[in-house]
């Protein structure tokens, strides 16, 4: 298995633009997590899916952020409109529930 | 929301010295996991602790889970430059919640 695949690896966008981050979890994993990492706030859980259903989205900063998981092999995190304070590394991770999480390489987002 | 406190935030040691990082939760955990993130990389799973009072070892690394399942520690004996990185604990609170809540991490630097 290729592991968790995230795209793009880097994204630079202008303030106000829509940004879509993509994630392909490991086949057979039923849990998917989106995290945001910054120096100031560390690794924050944004949203957690189990069996494609959002279970906990309390970490989603505001209405500008949305996440979907239309099937077991794909998830997106969308920011619309983007702001400079959204600049961070966004990680997707997947696991079999309660077991170890496997992280993707991350998407480094810069909003200018 | 649920959160897990991790200390210290930073630790600078001389090569050969020991290192310990601690995690504390105000509520009982189902299990706790430990991850390591190298500079520029993504978190990588190290170990999971499930049982009260559990102690596990991986070469120079010793992981402990408290009797009350509210705290955990990672101890590295005789640090090496290859130990450099940020060490995270990740708490799982069990029940219907399979989400992983990460501590802020302890950034370890090792001076040769």
């Amino acid at each position: 298995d290729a592991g968790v695949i995230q795209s793009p690896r880097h994204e630079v966008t202008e303030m106000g633009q829509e940004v879509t981050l993509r994630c392909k979890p490991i086949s057979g994993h039923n849990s998917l997590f989106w995290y945001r990492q910054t120096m100031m706030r560390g690794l924050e859980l944004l949203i957690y899916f189990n069996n494609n259903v959002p279970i906990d989205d309390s970490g989603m900063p505001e209405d500008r952020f949305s996440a979907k998981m239309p099937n077991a092999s794909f998830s997106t995190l969308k920011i619309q409109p983007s702001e400079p304070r959204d600049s961070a590394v966004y990680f997707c991770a997947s696991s079999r529930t309660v077991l170890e999480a496997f992280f993707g390489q991350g998407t480094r987002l810069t909003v200018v | 929301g649920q959160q897990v406190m991790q200390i210290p935030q930073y630790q600078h040691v001389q090569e050969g010295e020991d290192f310990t990082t601690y995690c504390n939760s105000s509520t009982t955990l189902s299990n706790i996991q430990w991850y390591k993130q190298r500079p520029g990389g993504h978190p990588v799973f190290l170990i999971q602790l499930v049982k009260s009072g559990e102690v596990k070892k991986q070469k120079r690394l010793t992981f402990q889970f408290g009797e009350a399942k509210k705290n955990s520690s990672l101890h590295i004996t005789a640090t090496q430059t290859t130990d450099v990185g940020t060490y995270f604990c990740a708490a799982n609170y069990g029940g219907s919640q399979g989400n992983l809540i990460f501590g802020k991490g302890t950034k370890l630097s090792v001076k040769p």
Side-chain angles (χ1 to χ4, degrees):
Chain A
D1 201 320
V4 177
I5 300 173
Q6 290 186 246
S7 64
R9 290 292 309 277
H10 302 273
E11 177 82 28
V12 180
T13 190
E14 292 186 345
M15 183 174 63
Q17 296 297 307
E18 177 180 298
V19 175
T20 300
L21 311 181
R22 296 173 175 79
C23 175
K24 177 178 167 50
I26 293 173
S27 177
H29 284 188
N30 58 354
S31 293
L32 184 137
F33 311 85
W34 281 100
Y35 290 92
R36 177 174 67 178
Q37 187 172 41
T38 60
M39 287 291 292
M40 290 296 294
R41 302 174 70 89
L43 200 58
E44 302 174 276
L45 176 65
L46 300 177
I47 189 167
Y48 157 61
F49 290 89
N50 187 254
N51 293 322
N52 312 338
V53 176
I55 302 299
D56 182 2
D57 64 354
S58 59
M60 295 287 265
E62 48 199 88
D63 292 344
R64 296 185 299 107
F65 285 68
S66 63
K68 293 182 179 180
M69 191 164 185
N71 56 62
S73 58
F74 185 64
S75 177
T76 59
L77 178 67
K78 185 178 294 186
I79 308 173
Q80 165 65 20
S82 58
E83 297 182 3
R85 60 192 167 121
D86 301 330
S87 298
V89 179
Y90 290 81
F91 287 106
C92 173
S94 73
S95 76
R96 298 183 202 277
T97 305
V98 188
L99 298 181
E100 63 180 287
F102 292 82
F103 281 73
Q105 298 290 325
T107 295
R108 182 173 295 277
L109 173 65
T110 304
V111 183
V112 298
Chain B
Q2 295 159 334
Q3 56 181 338
V4 57
M5 305 303 294
Q6 188 173 357
I7 57 170
Q9 190 174 359
Y10 301 96
Q11 187 79 58
H12 309 282
V13 300
Q14 193 78 33
E15 189 172 22
E17 292 181 340
D18 292 357
F19 159 77
T20 305
T21 174
Y22 301 89
C23 274
N24 289 285
S25 170
S26 57
T27 56
T28 303
L29 304 173
S30 176
N31 64 71
I32 194 160
Q33 300 177 7
W34 286 91
Y35 291 77
K36 177 183 179 180
Q37 184 177 23
R38 294 182 186 274
H42 59 278
V44 175
F45 175 83
L46 293 176
I47 209 159
Q48 176 172 276
L49 304 172
V50 179
K51 299 177 183 177
S52 169
E54 189 169 16
V55 178
K56 287 188 177 180
K57 293 192 175 185
Q58 289 179 351
K59 297 183 181 178
R60 295 178 294 103
L61 278 60
T62 302
F63 304 84
Q64 294 190 13
F65 202 8
E67 293 290 340
K69 299 183 70 172
K70 289 184 178 181
N71 58 75
S72 181
S73 65
L74 158 59
H75 179 82
I76 302 178
T77 304
T79 55
Q80 299 175 359
T81 54
T82 53
D83 295 326
V84 163
T86 301
Y87 293 85
F88 294 94
C89 60
N92 182 283
Y93 290 89
S96 61
Q97 296 293 323
N99 52 352
L100 279 176
I101 306 299
F102 277 74
K104 288 276 196 288
T106 297
K107 188 173 183 178
L108 172 65
S109 61
V110 179
K111 188 176 181 180

